[in-house]
Amino acid sequence: MTTKRFTFVAVLATITVSVLLPSAAQQGRSMNWPLHNLDLAGSRFSTLDQINTSNVKTLTPRWLFQHGVIDGVSNQTTPVIVDEVMYVTDSRGSVYAVNAVDGHLLWTYDVTNLLGGGRSEGYIFRNRGVCYADGVVYVAGGSFLFALDAKTGKPLPGFGTNGQASVILDVLKTRYPDAKTAISMGYWFTTAPQVHNGVLYIGSTRSESHIPGGHVFAVDAKTGKVLWHFNTVPQDEKDQGWEIAGPTWVGGERNGGGIWETPAIDPELGLLYVAVGNPFGDSRKRAGMNLFSDSIIALALGTGKLAWYFQQTHHDVWRFVSGGPPFLF
């Protein structure tokens, strides 16, 4: 099996918004959509009822915006809308702020020359969008997190280096001090960040690049510094969960566990829920269940401590991956 199944608001090289958006705002019934999946629970549920079963067939395009970037992989971005400004990304992670009423471009932040690699180095460009909090737009492009002023698109100087934080490499260097770049080890982001109480939460991919475990990161939204991280495929006793997952990999392979989608959060329980992807490598060299691949894991928001896990596919040889975002209800 070589394809993943997702349900997205697809953008490809164009973005289309329905004719009903402006009149909803004029009637005082507009609604912000600040996070990739709308809210922390990942519900994607809107209470607006202007579009319904009786009129949905009459919808027609109101405007069209083209960013013109085609890297051979379709865009999979979900538009985020705050105060009638739409924030979208292209497949590389560049951000476009567009007037949601008329489609006019307000600003662009191009990450192309900041990623340190392209398809030849291993990046297969795809990006699923941004999140918004406290006047800042956050996006994950390549193996970096970027923080941008929502009004101007200018990078925030206090976040990483000029608005760009190398969070994956920062963590990898603690175990692999000779690592020069994250992409050289097969790591990058495809998912939109989640944000809550001044902390960004995001997972790294890509299992098929033979990564030694995917990482879940908690990152300070002001500074870009990693607060904690969790390796989805514990490599040794230094990694949390080793006593549980270690014996479930026998034969030499211990790779995969990338994260494809945005996590969900329950603030009352203080838990982060992450869908972990497939293992990778010769299945004859990884006897066992291969935890925590193909699992839902629950981590403490403040510390990253593993609260519980549930594995859907044991010893996956079919790529029956946890590819979609978890949602709480």
Side-chain angles (χ1 to χ4, degrees):
M1 181 175 178
T2 59
T3 60
K4 287 185 172 62
R5 301 183 188 129
F6 300 102
T7 300
F8 291 106
V9 179
V11 176
L12 299 178
T14 64
I15 300 164
T16 303
V17 174
S18 79
V19 67
L20 298 180
L21 178 62
S23 55
Q26 291 162 6
Q27 295 173 20
R29 299 167 61 206
S30 61
M31 178 177 176
N32 287 337
W33 190 293
L35 304 176
H36 178 64
N37 292 314
L38 176 62
D39 50 31
L40 294 176
S43 72
R44 288 182 172 250
F45 175 73
S46 168
T47 57
L48 295 177
D49 59 3
Q50 186 184 17
I51 300 173
N52 53 52
T53 55
S54 65
N55 67 17
V56 66
K57 63 185 177 183
T58 68
L59 295 183
T60 57
R62 178 87 175 203
W63 52 258
L64 184 70
F65 169 76
Q66 295 179 295
H67 56 61
V69 176
I70 302 175
D71 276 313
V73 176
S74 64
N75 244 81
Q76 299 171 347
T77 184
T78 293
V80 160
I81 300 178
V82 178
D83 297 334
E84 297 189 6
V85 177
M86 175 180 289
Y87 304 94
V88 295
T89 58
D90 61 29
S91 56
R92 299 171 187 169
S94 297
V95 182
Y96 305 81
V98 179
N99 185 312
V101 175
D102 58 23
H104 290 170
L105 180 66
L106 303 175
W107 56 257
T108 302
Y109 184 78
D110 191 344
V111 303
T112 302
N113 295 324
L114 300 173
L115 302 184
R119 183 175 288 266
S120 59
E121 286 78 17
Y123 283 133
I124 299 177
F125 291 124
R126 55 168 62 87
N127 192 278
R128 290 172 186 148
V130 308
C131 66
Y132 175 101
D134 301 322
V136 181
V137 173
Y138 298 96
V139 66
S143 54
F144 303 93
L145 282 175
F146 297 88
L148 310 172
D149 183 282
K151 291 188 179 299
T152 65
K154 293 182 178 179
L156 299 187
F159 186 89
T161 302
N162 193 31
Q164 179 177 1
S166 56
V167 293
I168 300 181
L169 184 60
D170 292 346
V171 167
L172 291 177
K173 275 188 168 294
T174 62
R175 182 185 289 270
Y176 311 102
D178 294 331
K180 302 299 183 184
T181 63
I183 182 61
S184 65
M185 292 188 62
Y187 284 95
W188 64 91
F189 294 118
T190 60
T191 184
Q194 181 67 283
V195 61
H196 173 62
N197 270 0
V199 179
L200 299 165
Y201 300 93
I202 192 168
S204 65
T205 193
R206 175 177 182 256
S207 297
E208 290 72 22
S209 296
H210 232 89
I211 55 174
H215 287 275
V216 184
F217 301 92
V219 179
D220 188 296
K222 295 291 186 184
T223 66
K225 292 183 178 179
V226 177
L227 302 175
W228 57 256
H229 65 96
F230 180 92
N231 193 337
T232 61
V233 180
Q235 299 297 299
D236 55 32
E237 63 279 356
K238 295 179 183 178
D239 286 331
Q240 187 190 166
W242 170 256
E243 67 282 359
I244 301 171
T248 68
W249 298 75
V250 178
E253 288 282 0
R254 198 177 293 275
N255 299 294
I259 297 155
W260 291 99
E261 258 293 357
T262 302
I265 290 176
D266 187 324
E268 292 186 13
L269 292 178
L271 292 177
L272 177 79
Y273 303 91
V274 183
V276 182
N278 53 290
F280 193 77
D282 188 341
S283 64
R284 296 168 298 181
K285 296 180 180 179
R286 53 177 175 86
M289 294 169 62
N290 304 152
L291 292 172
F292 299 99
S293 69
D294 288 345
S295 299
I296 302 296
I297 57 174
L299 306 174
L301 285 175
T303 64
K305 183 179 180 180
L306 179 67
W308 57 259
Y309 69 91
F310 177 81
Q311 188 179 52
Q312 297 121 306
T313 306
H314 308 315
H315 187 77
D316 186 3
V317 296
W318 306 280
R319 208 179 180 212
F320 285 170
V321 61
S322 298
F327 65 95
L328 312 178
F329 67 98

